Amino acid sequence: MTTQTSLINAASAEFIQAFNTFKETGDFLALTQPFERGLENQENASLTFPLAQATAKLLDIGVLVIEPNELAQPLKNIVISSGIHGNETAPIEIVNQILQDIVQGRRQVAHRTLFIIGNPVSMNISKRFAVENLNRLFCGKYKDIAQCYEKERAEKLETYVSNFFNHVGSNFAKNDATTYHYDLHTAIRPSQHEKFAIYPYQGDKPWDKEQLAFMRACGVNTILFGHAPSGTFSYYSSANFSAHAFTVELGKVRGFGENDMSKFAAAYNTLSAFVSNEAIELKPFDNADFNLFKVLGDITKYTEEFKLNIADDVSNFTGYPAGTLLAEDEQNYQTSHEGESIVFPNANVGIGQRAALMVIPCEL
């Protein structure tokens, strides 16, 4: 596989051949990998093509919007993103499977849907990111860092999502559709609860129990309730467009070809049915069906002397007794609740960034 080091002309013979192949196969990954940096001169190329009862348009490498010819009711605008961290391959493969079904005519799209592979450059080097953690750069936080691929990509992805929810370039006038954004990930570490989701901070808005039931239908019954605004992709859509949004962790990071896709069947089937307006049986919310956690706060890395006092193989949701010294730095972190648990521990982050989340169980 060869990759481009700069933008490729959308009218070039190499890209046109790959795009025409995609229109037959729906293999979005195969279209994305060779042209990782993105497209130039999109305006001069024909990047729109018909599907059964819908129209697809490639907005950029890794960014495809599909609009049905007639919108299902009630109206929904849906974003399904993957690959914001390039080494998290299972979500990319889920999106790829859904798009292959759609393009090859096995499934029809009933709601406006935007599909995203977020970080093709880091995907091609099998790393979480190339220079900066893309999932810390949304809500304009990309403006605060030096020029790099992730800075450019965050700004572009914000624009694509904003235009999508605002119906810029759409065949339909902006409507009162309900908005959704499911940002699919896998975690660096194993987890005591294999699949879990972060429900972004909602301010004064209540947590939506029907959306929690939807997560359960996707095979995800462990939920962390966000405690503050953040720079994540799902929070961007939630905060700016009132989207029902989640960062969905579907298991552990593995390379392409190493994922047991049967483990993601619930997510794949539920998301496929959702964009197709097929019936999804949601069980009414019951606390007993979930593992719910509220976030006490972050452990932040303040200096290079930061030390995280946990083993390298500690799983997400490992609990500690009250009084345990978990982090040493300018500000130490000592647990204050019995059974306080750690999520996303990672000492190898930048200065000023989150090195872990600390959570305790809760109920709604």
Side-chain angles (χ1 to χ4, degrees):
M1 180 191 69
T2 60
T3 60
Q4 304 295 322
T5 58
S6 60
L7 297 178
I8 189 167
N9 192 314
S12 70
E14 181 184 9
F15 174 74
I16 290 172
Q17 181 179 358
F19 184 63
N20 286 337
T21 299
F22 168 68
K23 290 191 292 184
E24 296 177 359
T25 66
D27 191 341
F28 201 38
L29 180 57
L31 177 64
T32 302
Q33 284 179 312
F35 311 110
E36 59 180 27
R37 293 283 173 171
L39 299 177
E40 64 178 358
N41 298 331
Q42 296 105 311
E43 313 82 26
N44 301 323
S46 177
L47 302 180
T48 300
F49 61 98
L51 299 169
Q53 303 182 29
T55 300
K57 182 175 183 180
L58 187 72
L59 303 180
D60 199 346
I61 290 302
V63 185
L64 183 81
V65 64
I66 299 179
E67 284 198 328
N69 298 336
E70 294 185 11
L71 295 176
Q73 301 292 329
L75 299 169
K76 297 179 175 69
N77 295 324
I78 304 164
V79 176
I80 301 176
S81 55
S82 66
I84 295 299
H85 295 135
N87 62 341
E88 299 176 7
T89 60
I92 297 170
E93 293 181 323
I94 292 170
V95 165
N96 208 45
Q97 281 188 0
I98 295 172
L99 281 172
Q100 285 178 319
D101 291 342
I102 292 168
V103 172
Q104 294 182 24
R106 294 187 293 272
R107 188 175 294 275
Q108 295 177 357
V109 175
H111 299 290
R112 295 180 67 246
T113 306
L114 181 66
F115 294 95
I116 295 173
I117 296 177
N119 197 332
V121 168
S122 67
M123 179 184 71
N124 278 342
I125 58 175
S126 301
K127 291 187 176 181
R128 186 171 171 82
F129 47 85
V131 178
E132 294 280 352
N133 186 342
L134 182 56
N135 209 31
R136 300 291 180 272
L137 300 183
F138 296 98
C139 298
K141 295 184 184 297
Y142 61 84
K143 298 174 184 177
D144 300 329
I145 66 169
Q147 196 65 34
C148 65
Y149 172 75
E150 279 89 5
K151 178 187 181 81
E152 298 171 359
R153 190 65 168 175
E155 183 176 10
K156 287 181 178 179
L157 291 178
E158 282 195 3
T159 299
Y160 297 136
V161 169
S162 175
N163 287 345
F164 174 74
F165 284 138
N166 288 325
H167 286 231
V168 175
S170 169
N171 293 324
F172 300 95
K174 194 172 187 304
N175 52 49
D176 293 327
T178 306
T179 55
Y180 304 84
H181 184 174
Y182 303 112
D183 185 31
L184 309 183
H185 289 254
T186 49
I188 298 173
R189 292 175 181 256
S191 297
Q192 294 187 11
H193 306 292
E194 183 184 37
K195 297 178 176 66
F196 60 98
I198 299 89
Y199 198 156
Y201 175 69
Q202 297 292 294
D204 295 331
K205 293 190 297 183
W207 307 107
D208 190 293
K209 292 181 178 179
E210 184 175 348
Q211 279 296 292
L212 295 178
F214 184 86
M215 281 291 101
R216 186 173 181 272
C218 288
V220 180
N221 72 337
T222 298
I223 308 293
L224 279 67
F225 296 113
H227 67 302
S230 72
T232 66
F233 202 13
S234 63
Y235 181 73
Y236 173 76
S237 295
S238 174
N240 291 282
F241 302 100
S242 298
H244 295 298
F246 291 86
T247 302
V248 187
E249 302 284 350
L250 291 171
K252 192 177 183 302
V253 166
R254 289 181 173 83
F256 285 118
E258 299 176 3
N259 297 299
D260 179 356
M261 297 308 290
S262 67
K263 292 186 175 182
F264 313 109
Y268 161 74
N269 289 331
T270 301
L271 291 171
S272 295
F274 192 55
V275 301
S276 301
N277 203 44
E278 297 175 6
I280 302 172
E281 185 175 346
L282 299 181
K283 181 183 176 183
F285 175 83
D286 185 337
N287 275 293
D289 293 330
F290 291 85
N291 306 300
L292 304 179
F293 293 89
K294 70 176 181 180
V295 177
L296 292 177
D298 300 343
I299 295 178
T300 301
K301 181 176 181 177
Y302 293 102
T303 72
E304 291 296 346
E305 284 69 47
F306 176 82
K307 182 180 179 183
L308 194 59
N309 297 324
I310 66 169
D312 291 340
D313 60 353
V314 163
S315 300
N316 288 315
F317 299 101
T318 295
Y320 296 90
T324 303
L325 181 64
L326 284 183
E328 299 176 61
D329 203 352
E330 282 184 354
Q331 296 181 29
N332 293 343
Y333 188 92
Q334 184 171 303
T335 56
S336 56
H337 295 71
E338 201 66 30
E340 192 171 329
S341 300
I342 196 166
V343 184
F344 299 134
N346 182 7
N348 299 316
V349 296
I351 301 299
Q353 293 187 0
R354 184 193 76 200
L357 278 176
M358 300 306 300
V359 304
I360 56 173
C362 68
E363 289 190 350
L364 289 188

